[in-house]
Amino acid sequence: MSEPETSGTHPSQPRPVRLRDALLRARIEAADRTGVVVDLRDAEVARLEILNDALDPLFAQVPDQIDLFDRGISQGDTPRLWIDVVAHIMMGRDKRQYRFVQDTRFGRIVLAESHDISVIVEAVTDYVARRMIEREHAMVVLPEPQAPTVAPPRRSRFWPFVFGFVLGAAALFGVAVLAALRSW
């Protein structure tokens, strides 16, 4: 194979593509794509912040001594609005739909999914109420059930006495028979 000339300036020959120029174009394309991804992520975070502001009245009603809930937006690869350690809201695939999910030991379950903020706020309100009731039930100390003290059934002492008497008489009879046989 013949190698392309790099120093030739003949008008009919195409100028060879340099690797540095190709790398520069690839970097520019990657930056454009990254900019789009960053813009999408920023839009997701903005929507989650709007939802977070809509949840402020709900969490203002939660008593201060209840520390089950720790709201905050995490800005990882997938931005999320955390309600507590097991439940969060993230954007759906179309980046306009809110998805309220809960992580369980059996996997992730979707509690609510909607484009409307009020539907998600209602679902979070129900979730917060259920969690507070669960906490109340967990905090209640129930007295240990005490079994009624029933005296154990009284055993009859007659039959062990009769058995011992018969066994003793049989032993004495056996000793007497042995003594009689030896004296013969």
Side-chain angles (χ1 to χ4, degrees):
M1 295 185 108
S2 64
E3 295 193 23
E5 290 184 28
T6 56
S7 61
T9 57
H10 193 271
S12 65
Q13 290 182 344
R15 185 170 171 224
V17 178
R18 295 180 52 193
L19 181 59
R20 185 175 8 167
D21 295 337
L23 284 173
L24 179 63
R25 281 195 310 271
R27 284 189 182 116
I28 292 171
E29 290 172 2
D32 289 343
R33 281 193 303 268
T34 303
V36 170
V37 169
V38 168
D39 289 343
L40 285 174
R41 189 173 302 130
D42 289 344
E44 285 182 63
V45 170
R47 287 181 182 271
L48 291 173
E49 286 174 349
I50 291 169
L51 178 60
N52 193 23
D53 292 340
L55 290 171
D56 282 341
L58 166 67
F59 284 97
Q61 297 175 27
V62 175
D64 291 336
Q65 67 267 20
I66 296 179
D67 57 354
L68 290 174
F69 309 106
D70 190 20
R71 267 191 319 156
I73 296 177
S74 65
Q75 296 191 16
D77 289 338
T78 304
R80 294 180 174 141
L81 170 60
W82 290 92
I83 303 302
D84 61 7
V85 295
V86 295
H88 63 272
I89 301 165
M90 61 185 183
M91 301 308 295
R93 292 185 186 195
D94 65 353
K95 307 301 180 197
R96 290 176 297 179
Q97 184 176 26
Y98 297 100
R99 180 177 287 164
F100 181 34
V101 297
Q102 180 181 16
D103 294 325
T104 67
R105 62 180 148 177
F106 303 114
R108 184 174 286 170
I109 57 173
V110 177
L111 300 175
E113 197 169 22
S114 176
H115 293 281
D116 190 14
I117 288 179
S118 63
V119 172
I120 300 299
V121 169
E122 185 66 29
V124 172
T125 303
D126 291 342
Y127 175 78
V128 167
R130 284 193 310 270
R131 291 285 296 185
M132 289 175 66
I133 295 299
E134 287 174 8
R135 179 183 181 274
E136 286 177 9
H137 287 282
M139 298 299 283
V140 171
V141 178
L142 297 174
E144 289 187 27
Q146 296 179 352
T149 55
V150 176
R154 192 166 177 211
R155 293 185 180 180
S156 171
R157 294 184 182 165
F158 175 73
W159 292 111
F161 173 75
V162 170
F163 180 69
F165 181 77
V166 170
L167 193 62
L172 282 176
F173 180 74
V175 168
V177 169
L178 260 160
L181 287 177
R182 280 196 182 175
S183 64
W184 254 16

